[in-house]
Structure formats: structure tokens, C-alpha cells
Amino acid sequence: MTPTDPAARARPAPAHGGDGVSEATLRRVQRATGGMATRAVAMMDDRLPWFRTLTAEERSWVTLVAQAGIGGYVPWVDSARSDLRLTDTVFGSAPRDLLRSVSLRRTVELVRVAIDVAEERIPALGDTPAETVALRDSLLRYSREIAFAAAAVYATAAETRGAWDARVEAALVDGIVRGEAPDSLASRAAALGWDPSGPVAVVVGAAPSGGREARLVADWAGRHVLSALSGVQGGRLVVVLNAWPVEDADLAGTPGGRAALLKEHPFPADIDTLFGDGPIVHGPPALGLAGAVRSSEEAFAGLRVAHAWSGGTRLLSAADLLVERVLAGDGTAVRRLRDHVYAPLAAATTPLLETLDAYLDHGAALEPAARSLFIHPNTLRYRLHRVAELTGTDPWNARDVAVLRVALILGRLHRESLHGTPLLP
């Protein structure tokens, strides 16, 4: 007989659903699912201590999922609907917030309780021993599919959360680099769990090749137990570190304050592995998001002129490059040298400015400078040590001698400008 035979078309189909279970049995299972869901929730409350800590709203969400999970068995077991998407059927009714309230491990515990109830009740609804076995076997496969569906839901949520976090992180780093107001940055920082008032330092350098900057920075920060944000700006990698207990943010910006701070809390030695070729510059450690903006400004200002110091190391502080920054027209560097180097010397009771002038004018030669001042060389040494204490520079170091010379020039220019048109920012 061919499939087109009218007699064949007229013959009724067997009154069975999928897996050899009759339609009548499936209807009984369907009617019993409501009671089973209620029983499952009661067992969750009895077996799982953490379930009792959920809010009433969260418990109602779990109840919806339990009802959908047990109620989804009948459509799934029906062979005519074997392509049913359990992620939509079972977990589609759960709000997104449930994923934050109930972890994947706890979800597995909930599924186990619901399946225990189903295994206890459903096989007993079979009309024959064969149906009982079929129901038990299909429940085993169904529980496996439910577990896979739960894992898929949480994996998708994790991927979505990761992508969203990456976008927020990039926006936060971009806002710091562009100098946005701290209030506009605070919400993004809070979304990432970043302390908006904690100590920060910004490090910039060439971005590495390969396009895996965020993963590299995250792994590096994890190894060193640091909090870090990162982003790429025009081929430069920006890393914002949240690590230093800074008591005086202004002091951290001076050469001496920076040196003392980094001596006590140095950068990990392998920070250079995050960047591509070329110099790496960090801004002064500071506090809060406003401090991060200032640290970023100085780090970029230092990076722009780092190539001008031929004797510089690969990792530099923006404070190491104050002279180059002044020559490039950086107003912040001008103010730092004027306020943190010249001003303390001018305010000293000892004639340190005159002493330093004589020392520099004699090519940093101690004896000739002392003779010009009519003082003993040991007195000159004492005064130079005082200069070092007040400014954080080393008058016996050629690099710091240049810093002192420029600071004296800037201070005197500013002092003269107070009597007329300002010459400097």
C-alpha cells in the first residue's frame, strides 16, 4: 500500500506521545505539574538554607522557573515537539536580575530538587510498567537537557556582562584621558566596582601588537593583586592602576615626593611587558577620579617629550621629564617646578637661592662656589643638603642640576611678572 492510499490516510494515528507514552498519560502528567512545582518549592525551602534568605520577589521568580521546568517536560517528551528550546521555555520567564541573585551552582541545586520531585511523581502516573520505565528514562534525558540549558543561559549572561563591562571600562578610560568631570565618571566607575575615591596612577605607552591589551592587563593585574583599567587611545595603551596609599597627592607630584612614594610602593618590575616598543611614562600617584585625570594629563605630557631625554630609562615618571615638558610649553610642569622647587627655596630662612646661584654659576664646583660666598665648603655642603631636603632633587646629580637651574629661571620670571604683564602660566 502506498502512502497516498486513502485508506492509509483515514487510519487514526496511535494515541501515543513521544517515547511510547500515551496521550492520556501525558495529560495526567500535565495536570499534575502545578502540584509538583509547589512541592518542589517547598522542598527547596526545606533543603537549601540559602533559599530562605531570598527576598519574596526572588522566591517568586524561582517559583516561576520551577513551574516552567516541570511544566516543560510534557511538551519536550512529545516527539512532535522534540526541537523545543528549553532555554526559552524554562528560563525565558526569569528576569535578568535573577542571574545576579542566584549563581549557576545554586541554580543546579534548584534543578536537582525539582527533578527529584518529578522523578518521584511522574513515573507513578504511567498506565503500564513499560510506560513507567519510559517516563523514568525520558526524565533522565530531560534533566540533562535542563542542566545544559541552565549552563547556556549563564554562559550567555557572562558573555553579555563581559562585553558590557568592556564597553564601560573603555568609556571610563576615555573619559579620564579627555578630562571629564569626576561626577560624570563616577557612575561608570561604580558600575565596574572601581573605588572612585581611592589612590590611582595612570601609565601610558605604545600599545602592543596583537589586539589583546585588555586580557594582558587583566591577567597582569590579577597576578600582582592590583585593580586596573585599560584602553587604547590612538595607538597608545592607557593603564589606570588603583594601588597606592597616597597621603599627600600634591607631594606625590614633586620629584622628591614621587621618588619616596615609588620607593615604598614601586611599580611591579614587569609592567613594561604590557606595552609595545618605546618609552613608558606614568603620571603622579593621586587620589580619586579627579586625581586620575591629572595623572593622565601629566603621563601623556611626559610621553610626548620622553624621546628628548637620551639618557632616560624605558619606564619614566612624568616628574622625571619636567625640564623637557617646560621646554615644550607644558604649563603644569612650569607650575610644578615653580611651586615645588623654587618657592620652598625662596621661603627658606637660610640664603639658599643665593647659595644655589653661586653653586650653579661655578659649574657645580664646590670650592670655587664657597669662596665666592665667603663661606666654608662644609657650610655650602650643608646648604646643598638642605636644598635636596626641600626640593627632592640632588644638587650633585647632573640631571637634577638642570632641574634646579630651570626652576630658578621660572621662579624669577614669575616673580617679575607679578609687577606687570604675566609672562608665564
Side-chain angles (χ1 to χ4, degrees):
M1 184 180 298
T2 65
T4 57
D5 186 348
R9 291 198 302 268
R11 186 178 299 120
H16 285 75
D19 288 352
V21 180
S22 70
E23 294 290 352
T25 299
L26 289 180
R27 285 194 295 272
R28 282 197 300 275
V29 171
Q30 187 69 61
R31 288 193 296 270
T33 55
M36 284 188 281
T38 302
R39 170 64 177 159
V41 172
M43 288 182 63
M44 292 171 192
D45 189 71
D46 182 57
R47 290 187 186 180
L48 308 174
W50 59 263
F51 183 78
R52 293 189 290 272
T53 67
L54 297 179
T55 66
E57 184 179 35
E58 290 166 345
R59 288 166 66 97
S60 70
W61 292 341
V62 172
T63 301
L64 286 175
V65 173
Q67 290 173 341
I70 295 176
Y73 168 73
V74 172
W76 177 85
V77 80
D78 189 341
S79 61
R81 302 182 60 184
S82 59
D83 59 345
L84 186 71
R85 287 176 54 86
L86 290 179
T87 51
D88 297 333
T89 303
V90 177
F91 298 101
S93 60
R96 183 176 299 177
D97 288 344
L98 183 61
L99 299 178
R100 302 190 185 101
S101 305
V102 182
S103 66
L104 176 59
R105 179 182 62 80
R106 289 181 170 181
T107 299
V108 171
E109 292 176 353
L110 295 175
V111 169
R112 182 179 292 115
V113 171
I115 293 301
D116 284 348
V117 172
E119 288 179 340
E120 173 189 322
R121 299 286 184 87
I122 290 179
L125 298 175
D127 281 333
T128 64
E131 278 196 338
T132 298
V133 172
L135 288 169
R136 186 175 291 114
D137 289 346
S138 63
L139 269 174
L140 181 62
R141 294 195 299 275
Y142 182 67
S143 63
R144 181 191 65 184
E145 295 300 325
I146 286 286
F148 286 148
V153 168
Y154 278 85
T156 301
E159 291 174 358
T160 302
R161 173 72 185 186
W164 183 81
D165 282 353
R167 289 193 295 271
V168 174
E169 180 176 342
L172 178 56
V173 172
D174 181 68
I176 290 172
V177 171
R178 290 191 292 107
E180 288 186 20
D183 288 346
S184 69
L185 299 173
S187 61
R188 283 171 251 168
L192 294 172
W194 181 269
D195 182 2
S197 61
V200 294
V202 177
V203 190
V204 297
S209 58
R212 297 182 62 251
E213 301 86 1
R215 184 72 267 162
L216 288 174
V217 172
D219 290 345
W220 176 87
R223 289 197 304 273
H224 293 287
V225 198
L226 298 174
S227 297
L229 304 173
S230 65
V232 176
Q233 299 279 328
R236 292 166 295 190
L237 174 62
V238 183
V239 179
V240 184
L241 296 175
N242 192 228
W244 288 269
V246 184
E247 296 181 359
D248 187 335
D250 289 333
L251 177 65
T254 69
R258 170 201 48 82
L261 184 68
L262 290 182
K263 182 177 180 180
E264 183 179 357
H265 303 284
F267 285 103
D270 62 346
I271 191 172
D272 62 323
T273 60
L274 302 178
F275 296 87
D277 296 334
I280 304 164
V281 179
H282 67 83
L287 292 173
L289 293 171
V293 170
R294 292 194 299 272
S295 184
S296 170
E297 290 173 351
E298 296 209 39
F300 274 94
L303 186 64
R304 283 191 288 269
V305 300
H307 63 279
W309 183 13
S310 60
T313 57
R314 175 160 157 78
L315 177 62
L316 297 166
S317 165
D320 292 331
L321 297 158
L322 288 173
V323 171
E324 288 79 8
R325 290 167 56 192
V326 166
L327 295 176
D330 182 354
T332 300
V334 169
R335 289 187 291 274
R336 285 210 178 279
L337 284 182
R338 191 176 63 209
D339 297 343
H340 296 296
V341 179
Y342 178 82
L345 298 178
T349 55
T350 307
L352 297 183
L353 286 178
E354 294 82 349
T355 301
L356 190 55
D357 272 331
Y359 177 70
L360 296 177
D361 288 343
H362 287 83
L366 198 66
E367 297 288 344
R371 285 196 299 269
S372 72
L373 293 170
F374 304 103
I375 60 176
H376 193 278
N378 285 343
T379 302
L380 181 57
R381 288 189 183 92
Y382 167 79
R383 292 181 181 178
L384 292 177
H385 281 294
R386 185 64 180 148
V387 168
E389 291 173 359
L390 290 175
T391 65
T393 58
D394 181 358
W396 292 273
N397 177 275
R399 174 74 183 175
D400 283 357
V401 164
V403 172
L404 291 167
R405 173 68 79 184
V406 172
L408 292 182
I409 295 171
L410 294 173
R412 291 192 173 109
L413 285 173
H414 181 67
R415 184 184 64 191
E416 293 302 318
S417 73
L418 296 178
H419 302 290
T421 303
L423 301 176
L424 291 168

